[in-house]
Amino acid sequence: MIDVIIAGGGPTGMMLAAELRLHGIRTVVLERDAEPTKVVRGLGLHARSLEILDQRGLLDRFVAEGTRHPLRGFFAGISKPTPDRIDTSQPYVLGLPQPIIDRLLEEHAAELGAEIRRGTELVGLDQDDDGVTAELADGTRLRSRYLVGCDGGRSTVRKLLGVGFPGEPSRTETLLGEMELDVPLEELTKVMTEVRKTQLRFGAVPLGDGLYRVGTPADGVAADPRIPPTFDEFTAQLVAVAGTDFGAHSPRWLSRFGDATRLADRYRSGRVFLAGDAAHVHPPTGGQGLGLGIQDSFNLGWKLAAAVQGWVPADLLDTYHAERHPVAAAVLDNTRAQMELMSLEPGAQAVRRLVAELMDFDEVSRYLTEKIIATTVRYDLGSEHDLVGRRLRDTELDRGRLYDLTHAGRGLLLDRTGELSIVGWTDRVDHVVDAAPELEVSGVLMRPDGHIAWVADDSEPLAGALTRWFGAPRD
Ligand SMILES: Cc1cc2nc3c(=O)[nH]c(=O)nc-3n(C[C@H](O)[C@H](O)[C@H](O)COP(=O)(O)OP(=O)(O)OC[C@H]3O[C@@H](n4cnc5c(N)ncnc54)[C@H](O)[C@@H]3O)c2cc1C
């Protein structure tokens, strides 16, 4: 039997497949599209996602294909100088078109042995005490122990489970595409500056050789946003909004996206889970969606692997919803706030000016920026110690970098004293004795997702934390 079926081979599904394969879990990814999409939605990755790639030894191959942009204080398009003391080893935005991100994650999952079946659509599912049966569009049935819906905002898995997706529907829609424009850049800039006084969703970014990424407000909201606009519809909208189509021709791809904001009310239903856009959708303001999905997978992967390998503590699988649902709720809220601040209504503009002034205070700018780069996420693990539940940032140890020790996706006990013990858990946890001065505490237990499960000066004994997160000791 397959251990885990992943429905959807976007970035969330591929990241999850790779995380499961690190633990030898038999993983099959079902991807509806026969070929990877050319549509460029996401344009880059923020610090926490970069840290995650670094934790698995993947960062160099992403950086090699991307462009590092300095991290500025930013929120709702308000840009300020880089705030002081941003707590990350990756203080930049990595510009990288989503198709490249998707390809690199797919290559990584395939290298680790994930079975990827393209042109394969999940259309039905059924679960019982022992496993899940997935029904494919060609009538084939596959059986697995667990199934994860990583199948995007219109998730079939979510609908089949009957999981609620409350929130706000799309009120506006934007047409997006890449095409050549026959217009001098100065003229384009002049028209764009004028149009953007009343239409912030209008814009054209030069990509080189006369090619542009063009976005324009649509006329209403399409009944099915999966159906791309025709080129005639696109150019007609350019004329309606900007008074000219800028001599547009040779489109490479066209798409549409809305501003719906919704959050699944359950991330788990028995043996079936939801992750990425299948669990949450929001406007792309701030570029957080793809990273949020990667971070879901990073949280879920080792827990599902533990369940398959049989060492899972009783409630570990439920911690996925408990930890990740509030994180997505907070992201939805920050995109709601950003959208309000980007409204051209006089009241909203006044609040925007006020927020821009407040962001001149370094603390405010850092607070808002860190929301978007996701480095301050703290899971409520029941401890009052400030470090517990936070991710441990990369640290220079005497033996090298901390994140270089985390590529295998195991638990890690960092021990400055040499007096701690993980006997009974050595098959699941590594013990690193290192007196690095950078560490603030004498011992830290790090989960495979980099979040801190225990620190030496908290009241809980180490054996209790090891049992809670890694199951009963074995001889
Ligand atoms: C304009 C725009 C700009 C954005 N910019 C950014 C950005 O800069 N940074 C950022 O982090 N995020 C950004 N995002 C968000 C990001 O694109 C998404 O959040 C991300 O793609 C979600 O990944 P996913 O794997 O969860 O879902 P998807 O990428 O949607 O992948 C889902 C996959 O499932 C497949 N599938 C669907 N149904 C089935 C089925 N029944 N069976 C099998 N396969 C199925 C689909 O073919 C698809 O490949 C942007 C989004 C938009 C629209």
Side-chain angles (χ1 to χ4, degrees):
M1 183 160 55
I2 299 165
D3 292 324
V4 180
I5 290 176
I6 297 172
T12 305
M14 292 304 179
M15 186 73 204
L16 180 61
E19 284 298 291
L20 290 165
R21 285 303 304 153
L22 280 179
H23 299 278
I25 306 301
R26 190 174 168 214
T27 306
V28 174
V29 180
L30 309 176
E31 169 50 50
R32 184 180 57 200
D33 292 349
E35 297 292 332
T37 178
K38 290 192 187 113
V39 173
V40 184
R41 289 184 286 165
L43 290 174
L45 293 168
H46 292 302
R48 181 56 192 144
S49 300
L50 299 171
E51 290 180 353
I52 282 174
L53 297 174
D54 196 20
Q55 277 181 252
R56 294 296 181 259
L58 285 173
L59 184 59
D60 288 350
R61 54 174 106 170
F62 282 74
V63 169
E65 300 211 30
T67 310
R68 291 185 202 218
H69 302 289
L71 179 64
R72 294 183 55 83
F74 69 106
F75 196 74
I78 301 165
S79 179
K80 296 285 175 180
T82 311
D84 283 344
R85 293 183 286 115
I86 293 264
D87 180 34
T88 176
S89 54
Q90 309 301 329
Y92 56 94
V93 179
L94 186 67
L96 195 57
Q98 185 167 341
I100 299 179
I101 298 173
D102 292 357
R103 170 174 58 77
L104 291 171
L105 289 173
E106 180 168 350
E107 284 171 6
H108 174 55
E111 278 163 20
L112 289 174
E115 188 182 330
I116 298 162
R117 300 190 191 173
R118 283 199 164 272
T120 309
E121 181 177 3
L122 177 142
V123 294
L125 68 84
D126 200 13
Q127 59 174 317
D128 53 47
D129 289 348
D130 303 318
V132 186
T133 304
E135 189 187 335
L136 311 185
D138 67 0
T140 312
R141 284 168 185 271
L142 296 175
R143 186 92 177 133
S144 63
R145 297 179 67 181
Y146 295 95
L147 186 142
V148 187
C150 300
D151 48 347
R154 315 206 127 230
S155 171
T156 302
V157 172
R158 189 186 66 235
K159 288 173 192 160
L160 289 168
L161 291 173
V163 167
F165 203 35
E168 302 92 67
S170 280
R171 288 169 299 178
T172 62
E173 190 173 270
T174 305
L175 307 184
L176 186 67
E178 275 181 19
M179 60 202 70
E180 293 179 36
L181 301 183
D182 275 345
V183 63
L185 188 57
E186 311 78 66
E187 193 181 323
L188 173 70
T189 310
K190 200 170 138 204
V191 177
M192 209 160 66
T193 309
E194 199 52 34
V195 176
R196 281 180 63 83
K197 286 180 185 162
T198 54
Q199 294 285 5
L200 281 178
R201 286 181 291 125
F202 176 83
V205 180
L207 303 173
D209 295 331
L211 191 65
Y212 288 80
R213 177 179 169 99
V214 183
T216 182
D219 180 17
V221 176
D224 185 351
R226 281 173 305 183
I227 300 173
T230 62
F231 191 51
D232 283 348
E233 184 185 346
F234 203 111
T235 50
Q237 252 333 91
L238 286 178
V239 173
V241 173
T244 166
D245 67 3
F246 305 103
H249 63 96
S250 313
R252 306 296 198 269
W253 54 263
L254 302 170
S255 72
R256 60 175 92 236
F257 67 92
D259 62 352
T261 303
R262 295 184 178 278
L263 178 59
D265 52 26
R266 279 179 293 147
Y267 277 22
R268 176 185 185 188
S269 174
R271 293 179 167 272
V272 184
F273 297 78
L274 296 171
D277 275 17
H280 37 71
V281 292
H282 53 81
T285 329
Q288 303 170 85
L290 196 162
L292 193 59
I294 286 179
Q295 291 150 32
D296 285 346
S297 293
F298 211 53
N299 183 288
L300 180 59
W302 67 281
K303 295 174 182 174
L304 262 187
V308 171
Q309 289 176 334
W311 54 264
V312 66
D315 64 350
L316 189 67
L317 287 179
D318 286 329
T319 66
Y320 170 60
H321 171 98
E323 294 172 2
R324 293 305 299 171
H325 189 271
V327 172
V331 170
L332 262 57
D333 262 0
N334 89 47
T335 57
R336 283 186 182 105
Q338 292 187 78
M339 292 301 281
E340 289 300 317
L341 290 173
M342 292 170 78
S343 156
L344 294 169
E345 293 296 320
Q349 285 290 301
V351 180
R352 182 185 178 87
R353 285 191 289 276
L354 192 62
V355 171
E357 282 170 31
L358 289 172
M359 283 180 71
D360 286 333
F361 293 98
D362 203 62
E363 287 284 317
V364 176
S365 182
R366 182 169 55 252
Y367 179 80
L368 294 174
T369 305
E370 285 179 337
K371 268 188 185 296
I372 293 178
I373 65 173
T375 49
T376 46
V377 166
R378 182 181 179 213
Y379 299 142
D380 181 3
L381 305 188
S383 166
E384 289 187 358
H385 195 293
D386 183 55
L387 284 177
V388 174
R390 294 189 190 282
R391 64 82 170 101
L392 187 56
R393 63 160 285 174
D394 192 24
T395 303
E396 203 56 51
L397 303 175
D398 290 345
R399 66 177 57 203
R401 291 196 314 125
L402 170 67
Y403 280 9
D404 282 344
L405 304 175
T406 62
H407 294 182
R410 290 159 54 83
L412 182 78
L413 177 69
L414 253 182
D415 176 4
R416 290 187 66 194
T417 62
E419 288 170 6
L420 299 171
S421 166
I422 56 161
V423 172
W425 288 274
T426 50
D427 56 337
R428 288 150 280 171
V429 182
D430 295 324
H431 185 187
V432 173
V433 179
D434 195 299
E438 267 205 47
L439 274 181
E440 292 164 18
V441 281
S442 57
V444 177
L445 178 63
M446 206 175 150
R447 307 190 318 187
D449 60 0
H451 282 258
I452 298 171
W454 173 89
V455 289
D457 48 358
D458 202 1
S459 51
E460 189 184 15
L462 174 58
L466 283 164
T467 307
R468 178 174 174 201
W469 295 107
F470 297 100
R474 290 178 184 156
D475 293 334

Coordinates of all heavy atoms in Angstrom, one line a residue, residues 7-13 30-33 41-44 98 120-122 150-152 156 176 213 257 275-278 284 287-291, ligand 1:
A7 N -2.5 14.9 -3.3 CA -3.2 15.4 -4.5 C -2.8 16.8 -4.8 O -3.0 17.7 -4.0 CB -4.7 15.3 -4.2
G8 N -2.1 17.0 -5.9 CA -1.7 18.4 -6.3 C -0.2 18.5 -6.2 O 0.4 18.3 -5.1
G9 N 0.4 18.8 -7.3 CA 1.9 18.8 -7.4 C 2.4 20.3 -7.6 O 3.3 20.5 -8.4
G10 N 1.8 21.2 -6.9 CA 2.3 22.6 -6.8 C 3.4 22.6 -5.8 O 3.9 21.6 -5.3
P11 N 3.8 23.8 -5.4 CA 4.9 23.9 -4.4 C 4.6 23.3 -3.1 O 5.5 22.6 -2.5 CB 5.1 25.4 -4.2 CG 3.9 26.1 -4.8 CD 3.4 25.2 -5.9
T12 N 3.4 23.4 -2.6 CA 3.0 22.7 -1.3 C 3.2 21.2 -1.4 O 3.8 20.6 -0.5 CB 1.6 23.1 -0.9 OG1 1.5 24.5 -0.9 CG2 1.2 22.6 0.4
G13 N 2.6 20.6 -2.5 CA 2.6 19.2 -2.6 C 4.1 18.7 -2.8 O 4.4 17.7 -2.2
L30 N -0.1 13.1 -7.1 CA -1.0 13.1 -8.3 C -1.2 14.5 -8.8 O -1.6 15.3 -8.0 CB -2.4 12.5 -7.9 CG -2.5 11.2 -7.1 CD1 -3.9 10.9 -6.7 CD2 -1.9 10.1 -8.0
E31 N -0.8 14.8 -10.0 CA -0.9 16.1 -10.5 C -1.8 16.1 -11.8 O -1.5 15.4 -12.7 CB 0.5 16.7 -10.8 CG 0.5 18.0 -11.6 CD -0.4 19.1 -11.0 OE1 -0.3 19.4 -9.8 OE2 -1.2 19.7 -11.8
R32 N -2.8 16.9 -11.7 CA -3.8 17.0 -12.8 C -3.1 17.4 -14.1 O -3.4 16.9 -15.2 CB -4.9 18.0 -12.4 CG -6.0 18.0 -13.4 CD -7.1 19.0 -12.9 NE -6.5 20.3 -12.7 CZ -7.0 21.3 -12.0 NH1 -8.1 21.1 -11.3 NH2 -6.4 22.5 -11.8
D33 N -2.3 18.4 -14.1 CA -1.7 19.0 -15.3 C -0.6 18.0 -15.9 O 0.3 17.6 -15.1 CB -1.1 20.3 -15.1 CG -2.1 21.4 -14.8 OD1 -3.3 21.1 -15.0 OD2 -1.7 22.5 -14.3
R41 N 2.7 33.1 -11.3 CA 2.0 33.8 -10.2 C 3.0 34.4 -9.2 O 3.2 35.6 -9.3 CB 1.0 32.8 -9.5 CG -0.1 32.4 -10.4 CD -1.1 31.5 -9.6 NE -0.5 30.1 -9.5 CZ -1.0 29.2 -8.6 NH1 -2.0 29.5 -7.8 NH2 -0.4 28.0 -8.6
G42 N 3.6 33.6 -8.4 CA 4.5 34.2 -7.4 C 5.8 34.6 -8.1 O 6.2 34.2 -9.1
L43 N 6.4 35.7 -7.4 CA 7.6 36.2 -8.0 C 8.8 36.1 -7.0 O 9.9 36.6 -7.3 CB 7.4 37.7 -8.3 CG 6.5 38.0 -9.4 CD1 6.2 39.5 -9.5 CD2 7.0 37.5 -10.7
G44 N 8.6 35.4 -5.9 CA 9.7 35.3 -5.0 C 9.4 34.7 -3.7 O 8.3 34.3 -3.4
Q98 N 7.7 31.9 -10.1 CA 7.1 30.7 -9.5 C 7.4 29.4 -10.3 O 7.7 28.4 -9.7 CB 5.6 30.8 -9.2 CG 5.1 29.6 -8.4 CD 3.7 29.8 -7.8 OE1 3.3 30.9 -7.7 NE2 3.1 28.7 -7.5
T120 N -2.8 13.3 -13.9 CA -3.6 12.4 -13.1 C -4.4 13.2 -12.2 O -3.9 13.9 -11.3 CB -2.7 11.4 -12.3 OG1 -1.7 10.8 -13.2 CG2 -3.4 10.4 -11.6
E121 N -5.7 13.1 -12.3 CA -6.6 14.0 -11.5 C -7.4 13.1 -10.5 O -8.0 12.1 -10.8 CB -7.6 14.7 -12.4 CG -8.6 15.6 -11.7 CD -9.5 16.3 -12.6 OE1 -9.5 16.1 -13.8 OE2 -10.3 17.1 -12.1
L122 N -7.4 13.6 -9.2 CA -8.2 12.9 -8.2 C -9.6 13.4 -8.3 O -9.8 14.6 -8.4 CB -7.6 13.2 -6.8 CG -8.4 12.7 -5.6 CD1 -7.4 12.2 -4.5 CD2 -9.4 13.7 -5.1
C150 N -3.3 19.0 -1.6 CA -2.5 20.2 -1.8 C -2.9 20.7 -3.2 O -2.1 21.1 -4.0 CB -1.0 19.8 -1.9 SG -0.4 19.1 -0.3
D151 N -4.2 20.6 -3.5 CA -4.7 20.8 -4.8 C -5.3 22.2 -5.0 O -6.2 22.4 -5.8 CB -5.7 19.7 -5.2 CG -6.8 19.5 -4.1 OD1 -6.6 20.0 -3.0 OD2 -7.8 18.8 -4.4
G152 N -4.7 23.2 -4.3 CA -5.0 24.6 -4.7 C -6.3 25.1 -4.2 O -7.1 24.4 -3.5
T156 N -10.4 20.0 -4.8 CA -11.4 18.9 -4.8 C -11.5 18.1 -3.5 O -12.5 17.8 -3.0 CB -11.0 18.0 -6.0 OG1 -10.9 18.7 -7.2 CG2 -12.0 16.8 -6.2
L176 N -3.9 39.1 -15.7 CA -2.4 39.2 -15.6 C -1.9 38.4 -16.8 O -2.4 37.3 -17.1 CB -2.0 38.5 -14.3 CG -0.5 38.5 -13.9 CD1 -0.1 39.9 -13.6 CD2 -0.3 37.6 -12.7
R213 N 5.3 42.1 -18.0 CA 4.3 41.4 -17.2 C 3.2 42.5 -17.0 O 3.5 43.6 -16.3 CB 4.9 41.0 -15.8 CG 3.9 40.4 -14.8 CD 4.7 39.9 -13.6 NE 3.9 39.6 -12.4 CZ 3.5 38.3 -12.1 NH1 4.0 37.3 -12.8 NH2 2.8 38.1 -11.0
F257 N -6.9 36.5 -11.6 CA -6.9 36.1 -10.2 C -7.8 37.1 -9.4 O -7.9 38.2 -9.8 CB -5.5 36.0 -9.5 CG -4.8 37.3 -9.4 CD1 -4.9 38.1 -8.2 CD2 -4.0 37.8 -10.4 CE1 -4.2 39.3 -8.1 CE2 -3.3 39.0 -10.3 CZ -3.4 39.7 -9.2
A275 N -3.5 21.3 2.9 CA -2.3 22.2 3.0 C -2.2 23.1 1.9 O -2.7 22.9 0.8 CB -1.0 21.3 3.1
G276 N -1.6 24.3 2.1 CA -1.4 25.3 1.0 C -2.7 26.0 0.7 O -3.6 26.1 1.5
D277 N -2.8 26.4 -0.6 CA -4.0 27.1 -1.0 C -5.2 26.3 -0.8 O -6.3 26.9 -0.8 CB -3.8 27.5 -2.5 CG -3.1 28.8 -2.7 OD1 -2.4 29.2 -1.8 OD2 -3.2 29.3 -3.8
A278 N -5.1 25.0 -0.7 CA -6.3 24.2 -0.5 C -6.9 24.5 0.9 O -8.1 24.3 1.1 CB -6.0 22.7 -0.5
P284 N -2.8 38.3 -3.3 CA -1.3 38.1 -3.3 C -0.5 39.3 -2.6 O 0.7 39.2 -2.6 CB -1.0 38.0 -4.8 CG -2.1 38.6 -5.5 CD -3.3 38.5 -4.6
G287 N 3.0 38.9 -1.2 CA 3.7 37.6 -1.7 C 3.9 36.6 -0.7 O 5.0 36.2 -0.4
Q288 N 2.8 36.2 0.0 CA 3.0 35.3 1.1 C 2.4 33.8 0.9 O 2.7 32.9 1.7 CB 2.2 35.8 2.3 CG 2.7 37.2 2.7 CD 1.8 37.9 3.8 OE1 2.0 37.7 4.9 NE2 0.8 38.7 3.3
G289 N 1.6 33.6 -0.1 CA 0.8 32.4 -0.3 C 1.7 31.2 -0.5 O 1.5 30.1 0.2
L290 N 2.6 31.3 -1.4 CA 3.5 30.1 -1.7 C 4.3 29.7 -0.5 O 4.4 28.5 -0.1 CB 4.4 30.5 -2.9 CG 5.1 29.5 -3.7 CD1 5.5 30.2 -5.0 CD2 6.3 29.0 -3.0
G291 N 4.9 30.8 0.2 CA 5.6 30.5 1.4 C 4.8 29.9 2.5 O 5.3 28.9 3.2
Ligands
LIG1 C1 -0.7 37.1 -9.0 C2 -0.2 36.2 -7.9 C3 1.0 36.5 -7.4 C4 1.5 35.8 -6.3 N1 2.7 36.1 -5.8 C5 3.2 35.4 -4.8 C6 4.5 35.6 -4.3 O1 5.3 36.5 -4.8 N2 5.0 34.9 -3.3 C7 4.2 33.9 -2.7 O2 4.7 33.3 -1.7 N3 3.0 33.6 -3.2 C8 2.5 34.3 -4.2 N4 1.3 34.0 -4.7 C9 0.5 32.8 -4.2 C10 1.0 31.5 -4.8 O3 1.0 31.5 -6.2 C11 0.1 30.3 -4.2 O4 -0.1 30.5 -2.9 C12 0.8 29.0 -4.4 O5 0.9 28.6 -5.8 C13 0.0 27.9 -3.7 O6 0.7 26.7 -3.9 P1 -0.1 25.3 -3.8 O7 0.9 24.2 -4.1 O8 -0.8 25.2 -2.4 O9 -1.3 25.4 -4.8 P2 -1.2 25.5 -6.4 O10 0.1 26.2 -6.8 O11 -2.4 26.0 -6.9 O12 -1.0 24.0 -6.9 C14 -2.1 23.1 -6.8 C15 -1.8 22.0 -7.8 O13 -2.8 21.0 -7.7 C16 -3.2 20.6 -9.0 N5 -4.6 20.0 -8.9 C17 -5.7 20.7 -8.7 N6 -6.8 19.9 -8.5 C18 -6.3 18.6 -8.6 C19 -6.8 17.3 -8.6 N7 -8.2 17.1 -8.4 N8 -6.0 16.2 -8.7 C20 -4.7 16.4 -9.0 N9 -4.1 17.6 -9.0 C21 -4.9 18.7 -8.9 C22 -3.1 21.8 -9.9 O14 -3.0 21.5 -11.2 C23 -1.9 22.5 -9.3 O15 -0.7 22.1 -9.9 C24 0.7 34.7 -5.8 C25 -0.5 34.4 -6.4 C26 -1.0 35.1 -7.4 C27 -2.3 34.8 -8.0

